[in-house]
Amino acid sequence: MSTKVEEQQVVAENRDDGSPTDAVGDTEPGRDDAGAKPSDAPRVVLVTGASRFLGGFLTARLAQNPDIERVIAVDAVPPSKDMRRRMGRADFVRADIRNPLIAKVVRNAEVDTVVHLSMASHPTRSGGRAATKEMNVIGAMQLLAACQKSDHVQRVILKSSWSIYGSSAKDPAMFTEEMSARKPPKGGFARDCLDVEGYTRSLGRRRPDIATTILRLAPIIGPRLETELTSYLLQPIVPTILGRDPRLQMLHEEDALAAFERATVAGAPGTYNIAADGVIALSQAIRRAGGVQAPLVPPMFPLVSSLQKQLGMHDYAGDQRDYLVFGCGLDTLRMREKLGFHPRWTTMQAFDDFLRSRKSSRIIDPESVRRLESKVVAAAARWA
């Protein structure tokens, strides 16, 4: 079925008492129609994107919780043997959430909690931009329509991204959940996140008895993850923008899993920025990784990025390039006070933990850089 036909079908299913469906543009980051908080702990949890890192390892964590009766892992691609073993007692269902049959899975299993983690951010790995948009937007619409029609669903948790805030020279030091991007997002993934957040809030308005939680994650980093950002930082010679040194805020992979576990088991509904404490400058990250900066004038940076893409080295989206120029900071006060989640790793600790597990073509010894930084900090403290 084509994307257009699928979208028409889901929009029709989402109508409530004949009223028109909310437009895609109804996606204000500050709007928080979260619904009522569930009165009891989850009994049957469904996790999408189970063949990927977050979905698979979250399924494994939830399966170890004796208070949860059943965990159902869903993905169109079966997980690896090692991941399937980690999932333990969890049931794996091979299903495409773009298919309306996902409603049958939700209904028959009497699912009361849905954790949607299958948002794809990399078009090249997902079959191109058209296929990625269909998976992200149409898949989410079908899943949310299934939740709306179910009598058992009480809680929906959505994985979103920092990218909805964008990156520009006009940005504040830290974005709160009520703020929006200063410029319309360039990247397709950011636009998908905005659309899906809007559909999730629409579900909360149509079904006030369903609590909706949206987690906007900072870039995730860790020993078991390979991302475009980490590949970029591990280069021996790293192209950067002349005169720019953005501040990067990250999130350790274990903290990302812990945040979703918290939101699933006992989290309050709402929209939350999820990020580690502190920031790291791009120049500092490159030095700690053992690389050397190659400053470029602004017009040259996208040209070099395009060349690297053709050579199969990297594939930066527009919002990722802007992130490497301006950065993006997330305010996490609501995460701590309302969600009750406190990351274990700071941004610096998360980055160092990642470096310990990776081998880069180092030109500068990272240990020497760390020792020098420690001496400079100690000297500054003495002078202060």
Side-chain angles (χ1 to χ4, degrees):
M1 184 179 293
S2 66
T3 301
K4 185 175 181 181
V5 175
E6 287 276 9
E7 186 168 355
Q8 290 174 346
Q9 177 182 355
V10 178
V11 168
E13 290 176 349
N14 271 331
R15 293 184 184 276
D16 185 14
D17 298 330
S19 60
T21 303
D22 290 0
V24 172
D26 186 14
T27 55
E28 304 95 326
R31 189 165 183 172
D32 194 5
D33 298 314
K37 185 174 181 179
S39 58
D40 51 7
R43 185 178 60 86
V44 181
V45 181
L46 183 144
V47 181
T48 66
S51 296
R52 304 174 191 176
F53 174 81
L54 282 179
F57 280 92
L58 179 64
T59 298
R61 284 185 173 222
L62 296 176
Q64 296 173 5
N65 189 333
D67 296 329
I68 299 176
E69 295 181 14
R70 187 182 181 190
V71 181
I72 303 173
V74 175
D75 207 316
V77 179
S80 64
K81 292 183 179 179
D82 179 65
M83 182 62 73
R84 186 66 189 90
R85 178 182 57 80
R86 290 176 181 272
M87 290 180 181
R89 65 182 177 93
D91 299 321
F92 175 73
V93 177
R94 186 171 184 177
D96 191 332
I97 62 172
R98 292 172 293 182
N99 193 311
L101 291 177
I102 189 64
K104 187 176 181 180
V105 177
V106 174
R107 181 181 65 253
N108 292 348
E110 298 185 357
V111 174
D112 58 60
T113 302
V114 174
V115 187
H116 182 37
L117 302 178
S118 63
M119 293 283 288
S121 60
H122 202 287
T124 303
R125 299 173 186 170
S126 306
R129 172 57 194 153
T132 302
K133 181 177 177 62
E134 185 174 359
M135 173 60 74
N136 289 345
V137 179
I138 301 302
M141 291 173 73
Q142 290 285 12
L143 181 65
L144 295 173
C147 295
Q148 179 178 322
K149 292 186 291 186
S150 171
D151 296 329
H152 300 281
V153 174
Q154 300 180 13
R155 180 189 283 117
V156 174
I157 298 99
L158 171 68
K159 170 184 172 288
S160 188
S161 169
W162 64 270
S163 60
I164 70 161
Y165 297 118
S167 297
S168 73
K170 298 180 179 179
D171 288 348
M174 293 288 176
F175 278 98
T176 65
E177 289 82 355
E178 292 80 11
M179 294 180 180
S180 59
R182 296 298 189 265
K183 294 182 178 180
K186 295 180 181 179
F189 177 63
R191 295 195 297 269
D192 291 349
C193 287
L194 282 171
D195 290 348
V196 175
E197 282 196 16
Y199 294 136
T200 304
R201 293 190 187 92
S202 296
L203 171 66
R205 290 193 291 272
R206 294 191 184 93
R207 288 282 306 274
D209 57 315
I210 296 179
T212 56
T213 303
I214 299 173
L215 303 187
R216 295 171 178 165
L217 305 183
I220 304 176
I221 195 168
R224 295 170 292 185
L225 276 178
E226 187 75 28
T227 66
E228 289 300 319
L229 177 61
T230 58
S231 298
Y232 168 82
L233 293 173
L234 287 179
Q235 297 176 102
I237 300 178
V238 185
T240 59
I241 296 293
L242 183 65
R244 295 286 184 179
D245 193 13
R247 298 178 301 164
L248 311 181
Q249 190 176 16
M250 302 178 185
L251 179 68
H252 195 279
E253 60 185 34
E254 290 294 335
D255 282 332
L257 291 169
F260 276 105
E261 185 177 17
R262 171 73 181 177
T264 302
V265 176
T271 302
Y272 302 96
N273 293 331
I274 307 296
D277 288 339
V279 296
I280 182 172
L282 177 60
S283 59
Q284 187 179 14
I286 294 172
R287 289 195 303 269
R288 294 177 81 86
V292 174
Q293 292 188 77
L296 304 172
V297 293
M300 288 295 298
F301 190 72
L303 296 178
V304 172
S305 300
S306 299
L307 178 61
Q308 290 180 321
K309 178 179 179 179
Q310 294 176 4
L311 296 175
M313 299 172 60
H314 304 289
D315 185 9
Y316 307 131
D319 52 354
Q320 292 174 321
R321 285 197 296 266
D322 289 343
Y323 181 72
L324 297 175
V325 177
F326 303 107
C328 181
L330 304 182
D331 183 280
T332 58
L333 181 63
R334 182 185 292 182
M335 173 193 76
R336 298 173 184 281
E337 294 187 348
K338 188 175 179 182
L339 185 63
F341 176 70
H342 301 268
R344 291 179 55 195
W345 279 268
T346 65
T347 292
M348 188 71 73
Q349 290 170 343
F351 187 71
D352 287 343
D353 188 48
F354 157 75
L355 290 180
R356 281 190 287 268
S357 66
R358 291 291 196 275
K359 292 183 179 180
S360 62
S361 301
R362 296 171 176 174
I363 296 178
I364 300 175
D365 178 23
E367 290 299 328
S368 299
V369 174
R370 278 190 279 271
R371 288 195 295 269
L372 179 60
E373 287 180 345
S374 299
K375 291 180 180 178
V376 171
V377 171
R382 287 196 297 270
W383 279 101

